[in-house]
């Protein structure tokens, strides 16, 4: 459940792996239509620390609810370790995001080359590519991913 919520959240928010593991439960805001937003408190391109609001689909919120209810979490980091009670207090580290993606991709039967090519940025890049393929304007993609300019990684 945690991994499903992490992958869905990473795709919806276009978060870098360090941003993804820093997300907090109390920063989720629900909308009337079933979707929501989450505050990305600090980002690589946000030197002033203003943060940005990122979109969460209704489907992603359902995955998040399932994970948070199963893990009995109400505040603090969303994506935590699952091994021991003590480890569950802390957020996973950014490198764990890549490991989770590769493990789930292998379990889904993707070929070894594809699995090896996955990284913590795969959800971010994939979401931006999907947005571009859907005809979404570059400015909207940049805003969604927190890119201050096209040269900053798009």
């Amino acid at each position: 459940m945690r991994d499903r919520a992490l992958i869905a959240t990473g795709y919806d928010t276009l978060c870098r792996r360090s941003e993804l593991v820093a997300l907090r439960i109390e920063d989720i805001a629900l909308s009337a239509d079933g979707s929501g937003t989450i505050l990305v408190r600090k980002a690589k391109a946000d030197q002033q620390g203003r943060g940005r609001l990122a979109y969460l689909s209704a489907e992603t919120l359902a995955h998040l609810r399932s994970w948070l209810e199963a893990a009995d979490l109400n505040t603090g980091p969303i994506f935590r370790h699952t091994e021991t009670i003590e480890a569950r207090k802390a957020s996973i580290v950014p490198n764990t995001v890549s490991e989770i993606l590769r493990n789930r991709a292998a379990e889904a039967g993707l070929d070894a080359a594809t699995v090896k090519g996955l990284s913590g940025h795969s959800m971010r890049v994939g979401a931006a590519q999907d947005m571009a393929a859907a005809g979404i304007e570059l400015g909207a993609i940049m805003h969604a991913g927190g890119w201050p300019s096209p040269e900053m990684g798009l």
Side-chain angles (χ1 to χ4, degrees), residues 2-3 9 11 16 20 28-29 37 41-42 47 52 60 62 67 76 82-83 90-91 103 107 114 141 145 149:
R2 180 205 59 194
D3 297 353
T9 302
Y11 183 86
R16 293 168 181 85
L20 191 58
I28 298 171
T37 59
R41 291 178 181 230
K42 189 173 179 186
Q47 298 303 314
R52 69 175 171 92
T60 295
W67 157 243
T82 58
E83 294 81 31
S91 174
N103 288 343
E107 287 175 4
T114 299
I141 297 170
S149 70

Side-chain angles (χ1 to χ4, degrees), residues 2-42:
R2 180 205 59 194
D3 297 353
R4 183 177 289 124
L6 181 136
I7 292 167
T9 302
Y11 183 86
D12 275 3
T13 63
L14 285 85
C15 279
R16 293 168 181 85
R17 61 189 189 153
S18 60
E19 298 164 358
L20 191 58
V21 301
L23 295 175
R24 300 184 60 80
I25 298 165
E26 52 271 25
D27 292 332
I28 298 171
L30 305 177
S31 299
D33 68 357
S35 67
T37 59
I38 189 162
L39 176 64
V40 180
R41 291 178 181 230
K42 189 173 179 186

